[in-house]
Amino acid sequence: MRRFMLALSTCLGLIAAPVAADAAEDGAEVVSCNGCEALLELAAATPARKDDRARDVYRHPVETLKFMGVAPDMKVGEYAPGGGWYSRMLAPYLAEEGHLTGLYFNPDVVPFDGSKLAESAAAFPGKVVEWTGVDPDSVSGMTLKDIPDAEKGSYDRIVLFRMLHNMMNWNIADAEVKAMRTLLKDDGLLGVVQHRAKADAPFSYSNGSKGYLRQADVVRLMELNGFELVASSEINANPKDPANWEGGVWTLPPQFALKEQDKAKYAAIGESDRMTLLFRKRD
């Protein structure tokens, strides 16, 4: 970890302006972390990620975070960090000059017993420190209930990875997205990676219950809750995925819901086709 921090400090000294305007794939101009790729590569190579790297071929964390303009001096919220796959990369990347916060569900809106969510949020920094060895002051955790005034409008980025389908299926997406908007600075950006249904998929398949959402529906949801789409990317696309599995996205790796049945077939397809979107907080 110390070797990584020394290398990070050196790179930071070499990068005078890590965040600059870049051209998005759809032609729109978007803030991108130009010059940060070397730092992201360092973070991706940390020992804490030795068991995570096998999935980089599907999740493209370096390219995804660069596209979302996540610079090492930013305050970043990671929504529903789960087992910490992205946390183990973001924490060392942000430890020197930035800050990582694990954002947990508001326990009052989830359709299950949320009594342990505040406890999980409080435990998040300790887990990250155990995984990565970063300074504990560079990590925090909180739920989206009763957001402290000091946190409002203080985040540069929020990242929302493969969780929006649950939010939609549980009917909490509007409330949680609005809370995330409250946390963002006026020019803050929210990045989304989400399993993608076909554009003509019926509602019964694209309502979140199968893990897949239509991209147009995601854009509309965000627009209705105070965001505008500023860029999209095919970084995490997988044209091999027909996105029509009877058992939903969990048919594919890494879950392999059908166990050994046709496992080689699903392994050859790989993980799901995913949209990668970037939204700006709208006035």
Side-chain angles (χ1 to χ4, degrees), residues 48-63:
R49 298 195 69 253
K50 62 182 177 63
D51 296 328
D52 295 333
R53 282 192 283 273
R55 301 186 69 184
D56 288 0
V57 65
Y58 303 116
R59 295 187 170 187
H60 310 98
V62 171
E63 298 86 347

Side-chain angles (χ1 to χ4, degrees), residues 26-273:
D26 59 6
E29 189 177 82
V30 62
V31 175
S32 177
C33 190
N34 293 332
C36 290
E37 192 163 3
L39 304 181
L40 289 166
E41 292 283 3
L42 281 172
T46 56
R49 298 195 69 253
K50 62 182 177 63
D51 296 328
D52 295 333
R53 282 192 283 273
R55 301 186 69 184
D56 288 0
V57 65
Y58 303 116
R59 295 187 170 187
H60 310 98
V62 171
E63 298 86 347
T64 298
L65 293 175
K66 179 178 183 292
F67 168 76
M68 293 177 178
V70 179
D73 61 350
M74 287 182 170
K75 185 175 182 179
V76 178
E78 181 188 0
Y79 183 78
W85 194 93
Y86 256 104
S87 306
R88 284 185 285 274
M89 180 164 173
L90 284 166
Y93 179 66
L94 298 168
E96 188 77 5
E97 292 192 285
H99 190 89
L100 173 65
T101 303
L103 302 176
Y104 287 73
F105 308 122
N106 178 347
D108 288 350
V109 302
V110 292
F112 53 84
D113 180 7
S115 61
K116 298 292 186 181
L117 285 169
E119 182 179 319
S120 296
F124 178 72
K127 288 184 177 180
V128 172
V129 171
E130 182 179 348
W131 292 330
T132 65
V134 298
D135 184 340
D137 290 339
S138 68
V139 191
S140 60
M142 61 181 289
T143 73
L144 293 184
K145 176 183 178 181
D146 301 328
I147 297 172
D149 288 341
E151 295 294 310
K152 295 176 181 178
S154 67
Y155 285 75
D156 300 284
R157 297 287 185 276
I158 292 177
V159 291
L160 201 173
F161 297 123
R162 304 173 317 282
M163 182 51 63
L164 198 50
H165 59 284
N166 285 326
M167 296 161 65
M168 294 285 282
N169 195 36
W170 298 337
N171 199 29
I172 67 170
D174 290 298
E176 295 286 87
V177 169
K178 285 176 181 175
M180 286 184 255
R181 185 183 183 280
T182 299
L183 287 169
L184 283 168
K185 294 179 178 178
D186 288 342
D187 59 348
L189 300 177
L190 189 153
V192 172
V193 176
Q194 176 57 45
H195 312 296
R196 178 167 52 192
K198 298 303 182 186
D200 60 353
F203 177 76
S204 59
Y205 196 85
S206 59
N207 62 2
S209 61
K210 301 295 186 180
Y212 292 98
L213 300 176
R214 293 179 298 203
Q215 186 162 319
D217 293 341
V218 172
V219 172
R220 184 58 176 155
L221 168 76
M222 299 302 293
E223 289 176 342
L224 288 171
N225 287 289
F227 288 89
E228 61 180 346
L229 179 68
V230 293
S232 62
S233 173
E234 293 301 298
I235 294 167
N236 295 299
N238 181 2
K240 294 180 182 179
D241 177 18
N244 63 356
W245 310 108
E246 183 178 351
V249 71
W250 306 280
T251 304
L252 297 175
Q255 278 79 14
F256 289 111
L258 299 180
K259 307 300 182 184
E260 296 302 315
Q261 180 181 330
D262 294 324
K263 188 173 183 178
K265 167 187 169 181
Y266 302 130
I269 291 171
E271 295 191 14
S272 67
D273 178 49

